Amino acid sequence: MEAVTLEYDGGLKAFPLGAVTVLLITMLSVFVFIDPDPEGYPEGVWVFLTFMFLGIVLPWLMFIEAFWTRAILNGDGIRAESLWRGSRFLRWQEIGKVYYSSFSACIVLKGERGKIRVNPWMSNTDRLLATLDEMVPGERIQKSLEMFVKHLRLE
């Protein structure tokens, strides 16, 4: 089997950049209307700091997720790479359970050495599903994933 990479597409990579721009403009707008007198409007400083957090930290976390998270399928198994959890590898035969988590909105592959989550918004998830059908015994695939796949094919 030729290696297949699952990663976020360009639209999802552009979203954090757009979010940074919009939130920075919002921050500057709020800053213009805040009275600089700390005794007059002390809550204004907290509003500004909150917008700074929302405008800088959160979009950067989304940016990091979009550019550094990927999964690679090959004949031996699946490797997931992210800045948060490092690199993890599961062989197809050691995957004990595959399901769709509605809580994290991800396809979860669980094995003895941990679990790998794959976001359905990544590219090539159809190849992942086809490979799972081929390489993982049907009794290990939970009903939630089957229902998720049926939902995808209906739309």
Side-chain angles (χ1 to χ4, degrees):
M1 172 183 178
E2 185 179 317
V4 176
T5 302
L6 287 77
E7 59 188 352
Y8 292 105
D9 67 3
L12 286 172
K13 288 181 177 179
F15 177 76
L17 299 175
V20 167
T21 304
V22 168
L23 289 170
L24 284 175
I25 290 170
T26 305
M27 281 175 30
L28 290 173
S29 301
V30 168
F31 185 69
V32 166
F33 295 110
I34 293 176
D35 188 340
D37 179 18
E39 292 178 359
Y41 293 95
E43 70 276 355
V45 173
W46 291 109
V47 169
F48 179 72
L49 291 175
T50 301
F51 273 101
M52 272 191 61
F53 175 77
L54 293 174
I56 296 172
V57 175
L58 292 179
W60 272 107
L61 293 175
M62 290 188 293
F63 181 81
I64 290 169
E65 171 74 13
F67 280 90
W68 280 279
T69 300
R70 69 183 41 108
I72 301 162
L73 312 174
N74 62 33
D76 296 327
I78 181 169
R79 174 175 307 285
E81 300 172 352
S82 77
L83 209 56
W84 317 117
R85 298 190 65 197
S87 181
R88 296 160 328 277
F89 181 76
L90 288 175
R91 296 190 179 284
W92 297 120
Q93 57 269 29
E94 70 182 32
I95 295 174
K97 184 177 177 183
V98 180
Y99 60 96
Y100 177 76
S101 169
S102 58
F103 178 73
S104 63
C106 290
I107 299 167
V108 181
L109 293 77
K110 195 171 184 178
E112 294 173 6
R113 293 189 283 161
K115 59 182 158 184
I116 293 176
R117 291 183 189 92
V118 177
N119 193 312
W121 292 354
M122 291 179 151
S123 62
N124 295 319
T125 52
D126 56 337
R127 294 284 302 270
L128 170 65
L129 295 171
T131 305
L132 288 171
D133 278 343
E134 180 184 330
M135 305 294 253
V136 177
E139 66 271 4
R140 295 183 188 172
I141 298 175
Q142 302 291 307
K143 197 79 161 164
S144 60
L145 181 63
E146 291 173 14
M147 290 171 59
F148 174 71
V149 170
K150 284 180 186 175
H151 175 71
L152 279 181
R153 291 187 178 145
L154 289 176
E155 295 183 345

